[in-house]
Amino acid sequence: MKYYILFGPPGAGKGTQAKFIVEKFNLMHISTGDLLRKEMAAGTPLGLQAKQLIEGGNLVPDEVVVGMIKSTFASNKDVNGFLLDGFPRTIAQAEKLDQMLGEQGEKVDKVISLAIKDETIFKRIANRALIEGRKDDADPATIQNRIDTYHQKTEPLIGYYKEKGNYCEIPGEQTIEEVFSCICKELE
Ligand code: AMP
């Protein structure tokens, strides 16, 4: 079983690239953001708990997302592999993932990181707000908080995975096709 992580700040193009990657490499896409938005839309207790945090641009608690990942792994034993998008976002989540995979004799095979500048993040998210209508994309203060949260809590994962030797970085400001072609070279 293959385990890949698609890493990067909000607006780096993870969701767009994930669609192409899972199709070409026959993987299951797990986006914790999509899973949380589904819970919110369904009005579940978990969705209600997450709503305020997400709409303020804050992370939901580690246990919540780790639980979602765990149950998705458990109910998809027959797939070729997984592409994790938006998870892990903290060192604690990464450690939990390593522990979970280690218990099954598995590991993270590769971390593909899409690198873009903060100004580009801002522009892309504001533009996405017009297309997808996500509340957490609409307010500049929320976007800024997501960028700050990324730098504070998520960026340290770069060092974590570099040390493990499975990290690769791709310039995310190229065209969608160019970014995908770089990703394919890494995964082929
Ligand atoms: P995304 O669609 O990946 O941009 O995620 C949207 C929002 O969901 C984030 O801003 C967080 O509030 C929440 N979220 C998604 N994934 C995680 C995660 N791994 N850890 C904590 N919060 C998350």
Side-chain angles (χ1 to χ4, degrees), residues 32-34 36-37 53-54 58-60 65 86-89 93 134 136 146:
T32 40
D34 284 351
L36 287 164
R37 280 185 287 278
L53 291 166
I54 293 177
N58 297 304
L59 296 183
V60 306
V65 282
F87 179 93
R89 258 177 159 98
Q93 290 176 20
R134 275 172 56 174
D136 60 342
R146 287 162 69 198

